[in-house]
Amino acid sequence: MRKFYTIALLTLFLAGWNFTALAQVSKGGIPKSFTENVDKNVEVRSYPAVDVATLLSEDANYEKNGTPLRFAKHIPVNLSIDNSGTWTRLPDGGRIWRISFTSPGAYALQVLYDRFALPVGTSFFLYNGDKKHVIGAYDYTNNPKREEWATEFTVGDKVTLEYYEPAKVTGKPVIDISRISYAYKYVPFLPGYDPDKVGESESCQVDVNCSPEGDNWQDEKNGVGRISIVIGGSGYLCTGSLVNNTDQDCTPYFLSADHCGEGASAADFNQWSFYFHYEAQTCGDDNSVNYSNLKTATGATKRAEAANQVGSKSDMLLLELNNLPSTTAEAWGVYFNGWSRSTSASASGVGIHHPSGDIMKISTYTSSLSSYYTTHWEVQWSATTNGHGVTEGGSSGSPIFNNAGLIVGTLTGGSSYCTQTSGTDIYGKFSYHWQSNGSTDDSRLMPWLDPSGSSPTTLEGTYAPCGGASLMANFSGTPTTVVVGGTVAFTDQSSGATEWEWSFGDS
């Protein structure tokens, strides 16, 4: 993987490295009502519990092939800041608006918005029933499209929304709430969840930070994300990865499987959430997740897709995340994974994924991939020191890497289970994704991942700030030995730099 080294004499400042308010999806802080003596009476909208028994019965018929893993059901609400909630005037002239939603038995609740836009200077929070799980602050930078949007899940069966408006703010907020997403399983990504109430991945799975399995994959894992999917009236889980492009400009392209987004509208994609760094810090210890390191981006735009039709289409979905600028990517430490479009089978490598929406896992193969029709690779996983990685529902769309750390496919499905470790899985070939699914830009990776038309067979991954291959700090001096009072002519031989700062010490 590409590494960067500090050169003492020359500090490079890259264009676009300025940190802005947009860099954080959530700004931190605490809701205004937590520090003010305000009325505790807030409008509460109560909704019946969803029919979990029926949902679970339906889910039992879903397998890994062709159907994303459902974990939530949406409750239509059709409310706004104009027709619901409780306003409270503060002594300084500011105002707070609050509304609570409850639905018995929910493991977690998420709020989905038809439109969301805040005036400059205001803030927005959400918190659960005991106020121990707080998300926010959100502000005017958080939904640049000013269209459909979603906030993250909060633990439990009650959520309160709180909008704070200082006295001098003149703009009007737009908070139009369309649905409440009721999670009835698979929410271990939330702090404070009850592990006895949720399903997690199977026991043979291997944590991505186990040694030796994950030792050589610490860059690649940082590009893999757990996807919380919105399609119509339900929520689903899949996996995917950020991918690099030949311009190496940090465009936040995210690669997954088409069957994860089948039936999703443009409005639905705006409400998808992408979770990065959801992993156990200690091998085998589910309680070692560092929730403060978990990063979430919301919203995406579909760029290309190819149907889940083994033998003729390679089950590909390419998204561009709506709100992950280079500054955010750098602050979060996410990795834009490299790729190979070679048609030669990889001899060994790994898959990195979120089975059942669980913490990140790694599955290892030590025998060569084989072609499954022209569109897919077939893999058989190997036993390793800490288990025998396989895939599950929720793993769909996840990347499979060759032994050079490059993506060569995305998961469609298969027959591997902890009870059937000899089963195989199939991955849509990256080489087929490239340009074989059709002749238009919306069916191929090539126009998006190779905008410069340089046609490389492989491209390495990179961290932000991007453009790693062309970033080099170097100069030469003539003469190299000089007496006191003499002069040296320096010749700049750097690449990828736009500004320079020179330091030669005290003498």
Side-chain angles (χ1 to χ4, degrees), residues 18-27 141 323-325 327-329 331-332:
N18 295 323
F19 201 83
T20 67
L22 188 63
Q24 294 297 321
V25 169
S26 179
K27 311 301 186 297
T141 67
N323 193 8
L324 187 65
T327 47
T328 302
W332 287 4

Side-chain angles (χ1 to χ4, degrees), residues 183-451:
Y184 59 93
K185 61 180 180 181
Y186 299 138
V187 292
F189 61 97
L190 296 173
Y193 79 100
D194 183 348
D196 295 330
K197 291 183 178 180
V198 300
E200 294 183 318
S201 62
E202 296 182 78
S203 60
C204 70
Q205 301 283 11
V206 179
D207 289 346
V208 75
N209 286 324
C210 285
S211 181
E213 293 93 338
D215 290 348
N216 295 325
W217 304 95
Q218 294 300 296
D219 289 330
E220 291 78 7
K221 72 172 187 179
N222 290 330
V224 175
R226 174 192 186 279
I227 318 171
S228 178
I229 293 167
V230 171
I231 303 177
S234 297
Y236 302 86
L237 297 172
C238 275
T239 306
S241 176
L242 289 167
V243 286
N244 199 10
N245 73 84
T246 57
D247 280 358
Q248 299 201 66
D249 58 3
C250 286
T251 300
Y253 291 128
F254 191 91
L255 181 64
S256 189
D258 183 65
H259 76 263
C260 291
E262 187 174 2
S265 65
D268 288 336
F269 282 121
N270 281 337
Q271 297 175 329
W272 285 28
S273 297
F274 303 82
Y275 293 80
F276 297 95
H277 304 310
Y278 177 46
E279 59 197 68
Q281 303 301 303
T282 303
C283 178
D285 183 1
D286 290 349
N287 294 318
S288 66
V289 176
N290 180 4
Y291 287 100
S292 65
N293 195 42
L294 185 62
K295 307 299 182 184
T296 309
T298 300
T301 302
K302 182 170 64 177
R303 295 305 184 198
E305 65 178 342
N308 178 24
Q309 297 173 358
V310 176
S312 61
K313 302 287 184 182
S314 60
D315 192 19
M316 174 270 292
L317 177 65
L318 183 69
L319 305 173
E320 182 176 345
L321 304 190
N322 289 344
N323 193 8
L324 187 65
S326 176
T327 47
T328 302
E330 183 183 359
W332 287 4
V334 294
Y335 189 70
F336 295 79
N337 269 304
W339 42 261
S340 171
R341 62 183 185 90
S342 171
T343 57
S344 299
S346 169
S348 61
V350 302
I352 301 178
H353 53 112
H354 287 281
S356 297
D358 202 356
I359 52 180
M360 198 181 302
K361 305 292 182 176
I362 188 168
S363 303
T364 302
Y365 65 98
T366 55
S367 57
S368 180
L369 302 179
S370 59
S371 280
Y372 189 85
Y373 295 92
T374 59
T375 55
H376 285 69
W377 295 117
E378 185 174 30
V379 62
Q380 186 169 39
W381 304 110
S382 302
T384 58
T385 301
N386 292 285
H388 195 301
V390 291
T391 65
E392 303 177 32
S395 302
S396 287
S398 61
I400 189 169
F401 296 89
N402 65 15
N403 53 18
L406 305 178
I407 294 174
V408 295
T410 49
L411 180 64
T412 290
S415 60
S416 73
Y417 298 89
C418 285
T419 55
Q420 185 174 303
T421 54
S422 61
T424 60
D425 291 327
I426 60 171
Y427 286 75
K429 293 180 178 180
F430 193 97
S431 58
Y432 205 91
H433 295 342
W434 190 252
Q435 62 178 345
S436 300
N437 285 301
S439 58
T440 57
D441 288 358
D442 61 2
S443 63
R444 304 179 297 167
L445 292 183
M446 181 179 67
W448 309 98
L449 301 189
D450 185 25

